[in-house]
Each structure stands twice: as C-alpha cells, then as structure tokens.
Amino acid sequence: TESLRLVQETLNIGAATAAELEGQGKQIDNIHDNLVEINQSVKKSEHHVRGIKSIFGALWNKATGPPKQQPDLPKVQPITAPTTSRAAAGRSKRRHIRSIVYTGEAQVGHGQNT
C-alpha cells in the first residue's frame, strides 16, 4: 500500500543519509590530519625564520630547541547503529505499521511488536 511504500522510501533515504554522513566524517578526519600537519610545518618555518632574522633569534632557537610535536587529539568516535540488521529493522517497522493500519492503534514500545 501507499503507507508501506512511504515507509520503505523513508528507510532508503535514512540509509543513504547515514552513508553520506559516514563519508563526510572521513573527510573531516582527513581535514583534521592535514591541519595538524600544516600547523607543524608553520611552527618549523617560524623557527627557521626566527633563526635567519637575527642573531638573537638564532640564540633563542638554540636555547629553546626545535618546535615540539603536538600530541594528536583523540578523534571523535562515530555513533554506531544498533546491532540489528537493516533488513530485520525494516521488517519490524513494517509489522508495526501494519498493526497500526489494521487495528487503528499505535502500540507503544521500543521495537517490540505483536
């Protein structure tokens, strides 16, 4: 029926959105890694320029040593979906929708249908 088609379409859109978000998360991780690398390069460059600029800069560099490596920040762990399979979740939702359509009443619960 039309309701089941809409439910399936919604599930498909949700799955596509989840896949897109996963890809974007990977892009953000890559951007983060690139920014850390750029920051380290800038610190090394500042160190070299300060040494070239004046004798005092060279002495300061000698006293302080090379720039320290910044510790890697922990990456945010992605939110994982429940362990039930996508097909099982779809069947469960379809059963729930059918029970609403046939009985006219929504059953309250967390994924448990009769």
Side-chain angles (χ1 to χ4, degrees), residues 17-91:
T17 301
E20 182 69 25
L21 288 173
E22 182 179 358
Q24 289 176 356
K26 289 178 183 178
Q27 287 177 337
I28 289 172
D29 286 344
N30 290 337
I31 290 169
H32 174 265
D33 293 343
N34 289 338
L35 287 174
V36 168
E37 187 176 322
I38 289 168
N39 189 34
Q40 288 298 317
S41 296
V42 167
K43 286 186 181 221
K44 285 181 185 178
S45 297
E46 288 172 345
H47 181 80
H48 293 302
V49 168
R50 189 171 47 242
I52 294 170
K53 196 172 178 181
S54 70
I55 188 70
F56 296 111
L59 291 173
W60 178 261
N61 284 348
K62 196 74 154 163
T64 60
K68 304 279 188 274
Q69 179 86 13
Q70 286 186 339
D72 288 337
L73 297 174
K75 293 187 178 175
V76 176
Q77 295 300 319
I79 298 172
T80 57
T83 56
T84 59
S85 70
R86 189 175 292 165
R91 285 190 302 271

